[in-house]
Every structure is written in structure tokens, then in C-alpha cells.
Amino acid sequence: MSEGTMQRRAQRDVGEPPTPSSPWGSAKRLHRVLVGAAVLPAMLIVAGCSSDSGSDDGKGRAADSSASASASASPSPTVRAAVYKDLPDACDVLSKKTLDDLVPEAKSGKESQSEDISTRAGCSWDSLANNGVDGSQFRWLSVSMLRFESDTTRGAGDELAKAYYDKQVKDVQAAEGAKDTKAEPVTDTGDEATAVRYDLKKKEGTFKQQTVVARVENVVLTLDYNGAGLAGDKSPSADDLMKDAKKAAKEAVKTVTESNGGKSSGGAAESGSPSEPASSSAPAPAKD
């Protein structure tokens, strides 16, 4: 065999792929086995993580469901409902006879503006009796009512009314320009009532102001009554005006009670089944 032939044979032997029995084939199979062995634990680890994650998520959902069920089972907050659910027509709370006595020259009442007359209402009357050269007698009467509904966040209607009643009494006693202010409790007029009197000097003359603030259940009623002698006429008796104011307030409270289906002889109303929420803003003070 020539040298060239031997060289070409050697080149073919080098270029041929290794046989299964050759060292190259054994190395390649060993490499595939090692790689496969390494992949298997990795797959097991991933599978294990996935299984743990699903287990935790299941526990989380179970906890959420338990919390949700517990929340839905909790009782919703409740509050004692208010007794009175409505207000009477403010211009009809006093009888014609009472109006003739207190404001004899008044033709009709002037109703206060209100967005909801079931929670806030008022009416006023004025009278000017001309006595000729002796002057004249002026009278002004006003009734305002505010009804409180119960609210789960603010409290029961009668408690809200009580708080407003206390504030209203203090505000009346602190009226600007008031002189010789006196306050006293009033009996047989709702659940509680206070009468406040004072003098108020104006350019027309000295006005004798009488105010009765009364609460019956969840309603607060404020009755203002004042009088003055004008153009030389003498001032009216404060005691007489107060007596009339107390009588009128008692009558107005009775009307409020009866308009809600209760019975009253002027004292505390009979409690009915409790009611519901409200506007707590105070009505505008009456003008003197």
C-alpha cells in the first residue's frame, strides 16, 4: 500500500463518527444519563413548591370564607326608635280662642319656610291694638317645632331632642340685649319645660319677652310671646304675659302629642312604639 493510500485511509478513520463501542459513544451516553438525573430532582422540587403554594392558597381562602361568614353573622347596630313620627300643622297647634286671647288683632298665622315640615315647622302671629291717643298695644307670638329621628351613628331621637332642648334653654337665657333675665321650670308641659323671661329695649319701646321651651319625647317646641306698649301706652304685665305663654305652650305640646296618636292632659306623652333618623340642625331663632 502506497504512502498516499495510507494517508487517505487514516483521514477517513479520523472523520468517521464514533461507534457505540467507542470511547466517544460511551461518553455521550453517560452525559445524557447525568443530565436526565439532574433534571428529575429539579422537576420534583418545582412540583413540591406548586403543591405547597396550592395548599397555602386553600388555607387562605378558607380563612377568608370563615371571616366573611363571621362578619355576616355579626348583628347590625341598632338604636331605640323615636316615638313621634310627624308634626302637626304649625299654624293649627293653638286654638282660635287662645289666639284671640294672645294676639286679638291677628288675622292669620305666617308659616315658616321648611324643606320638610315633618321634621321642622313654625308659625307666627302679630297684633297691634290701636288705643287712639293712648297709644297701642303690640303682641307677637311664635311657635316653632323640631322633631328628631333616631340614627344609628348619632343616637336615639329623644336623646338628640334632650341635647337640643338643653342648648335651646341656654341660648334663650343668653339672648343679646336681654335685661333682668329669669328662668323657671314649667310643670305639666311635655316631658320637661323651662320658661325664660327678660326685657328687651328697642327704639319703639320696652318689649316684655316670654319664652317657653318644652320637650315631649323626640320633639322640641319653642313658644315665644312678647308685648309692648307703643306710642305712649303703658307696658303690659310680664306676669300676665308669662301666664298666657305657659298656657299656650301646654296646649301646643298637647296638639303635638295627639297628632301622633297619643293622649295627653298636658303632661308627658304616652310612649308609643319607637321610630327612626334626623336632621339635628336647629331652627332659626324667632325675631322679636
Side-chain angles (χ1 to χ4, degrees):
M1 181 179 296
S2 66
E3 182 178 350
T5 301
M6 291 177 64
Q7 185 176 4
R8 286 193 297 273
R9 178 63 181 273
Q11 288 173 344
R12 284 197 301 270
D13 291 343
V14 171
E16 291 176 354
T19 63
S21 60
S22 69
W24 287 7
S26 298
K28 191 170 184 179
R29 286 197 305 274
L30 178 60
H31 175 71
R32 284 200 301 268
V33 170
L34 292 176
V35 171
V39 170
L40 182 60
M43 292 176 65
L44 292 174
I45 291 172
V46 172
C49 291
S50 299
S51 175
D52 290 345
S53 175
S55 175
D56 290 345
D57 186 58
K59 291 179 181 179
R61 285 197 299 271
D64 290 344
S65 298
S66 176
S68 177
S70 176
S72 62
S74 300
S76 57
T78 59
V79 64
R80 181 176 65 259
V83 173
Y84 292 165
K85 302 175 185 289
D86 205 355
L87 292 175
D89 187 324
C91 292
D92 291 335
V93 294
L94 298 174
S95 66
K96 184 178 184 304
K97 182 181 183 306
T98 298
L99 292 174
D100 288 342
D101 290 342
L102 273 62
V103 279
E105 300 298 322
K107 295 181 179 179
S108 61
K110 181 180 180 181
E111 189 172 4
S112 303
Q113 292 185 350
S114 173
E115 294 181 356
D116 183 2
I117 60 175
S118 71
T119 57
R120 183 192 304 269
C123 192
S124 62
W125 303 259
D126 60 78
S127 170
L128 184 63
N130 191 343
N131 296 321
V133 294
D134 293 329
S136 58
Q137 286 290 320
F138 174 79
R139 299 289 184 273
W140 183 77
L141 175 66
S142 171
V143 176
S144 62
M145 298 171 288
L146 188 62
R147 183 180 66 85
F148 292 85
E149 296 182 352
S150 296
D151 188 289
T152 55
T153 60
R154 298 172 58 240
D158 59 333
E159 293 175 353
L160 297 173
K162 167 64 176 173
Y164 176 71
Y165 165 82
D166 292 338
K167 179 180 182 302
Q168 184 78 332
V169 171
K170 291 180 179 179
D171 288 348
V172 173
Q173 292 177 293
E176 184 178 357
K179 303 293 184 182
D180 301 324
T181 303
K182 298 177 182 179
E184 60 183 275
V186 180
T187 60
D188 299 326
T189 304
D191 295 306
E192 55 187 333
T194 301
V196 180
R197 67 168 70 182
Y198 57 81
D199 291 346
L200 193 62
K201 290 186 177 181
K202 296 186 177 183
K203 62 180 181 179
E204 298 89 351
T206 299
F207 288 76
K208 302 290 184 178
Q209 175 69 38
Q210 324 296 317
T211 300
V212 179
V213 183
R215 180 186 70 83
V216 55
E217 294 293 354
N218 54 306
V219 174
V220 177
L221 181 146
T222 303
L223 184 141
D224 289 298
Y225 184 48
N226 66 44
L230 307 179
D233 205 347
K234 65 179 182 180
S235 297
S237 166
D239 289 339
D240 290 343
L241 293 177
M242 178 56 78
K243 181 179 178 180
D244 288 339
K246 289 179 179 179
K247 179 182 177 181
K250 182 176 180 178
E251 181 181 326
V253 167
K254 181 180 179 182
T255 303
V256 172
T257 301
E258 293 178 346
S259 70
N260 282 273
K263 294 181 180 180
S264 172
S265 59
E270 294 182 0
S271 297
S273 57
S275 149
E276 305 127 47
S279 165
S280 65
S281 56
K287 296 181 179 179
D288 290 335

